[in-house]
Amino acid sequence: MWRAFFIALGIMAIIVGFESLVIDSANIYSDRGSSAKEFFSPSTIAGQTTITWQPKEWFPWLVLSVGTLIVIYSFTLPQRFRPSGD
């Protein structure tokens, strides 16, 4: 079970690394909650907070390398814990 968890974690890190290589910035929307007035009157603008995230130049390469190391290491785990008599 741990092996599958770490493989999934490594693959997710690789995907995030490739995505951050492609994008320039990402907008993260956070909803502050809605009031009854905003619910009944669709003409009002819902209160959203926007955060713009721009990855540093080194970030995609770091996440790609860490994800790759996690996947490679998790594939070698079964051989590490095998008894030496086999």
Side-chain angles (χ1 to χ4, degrees):
M1 184 172 112
W2 285 107
R3 179 179 178 208
F5 174 74
F6 283 112
I7 289 173
L9 187 70
I11 291 173
M12 186 186 72
I14 291 170
I15 291 171
V16 168
F18 276 126
E19 285 181 353
S20 58
L21 269 175
V22 175
I23 64 168
D24 292 329
S25 65
N27 294 328
I28 302 169
Y29 294 99
S30 173
D31 196 16
R32 68 167 164 80
S34 58
S35 65
K37 182 180 177 183
E38 292 170 347
F39 180 72
F40 286 114
S41 177
S43 63
T44 60
I45 299 172
Q48 290 182 344
T49 305
T50 305
I51 300 171
T52 301
W53 177 70
Q54 295 177 334
K56 306 283 187 195
E57 189 173 332
W58 50 267
F59 180 77
W61 302 109
L62 175 75
V63 176
L64 276 170
S65 61
V66 168
T68 304
L69 288 176
I70 290 173
V71 169
I72 290 172
Y73 187 74
S74 65
F75 276 122
T76 62
L77 280 177
Q79 286 84 21
R80 291 179 181 267
F81 296 114
R82 189 178 309 162
S84 60
D86 284 344

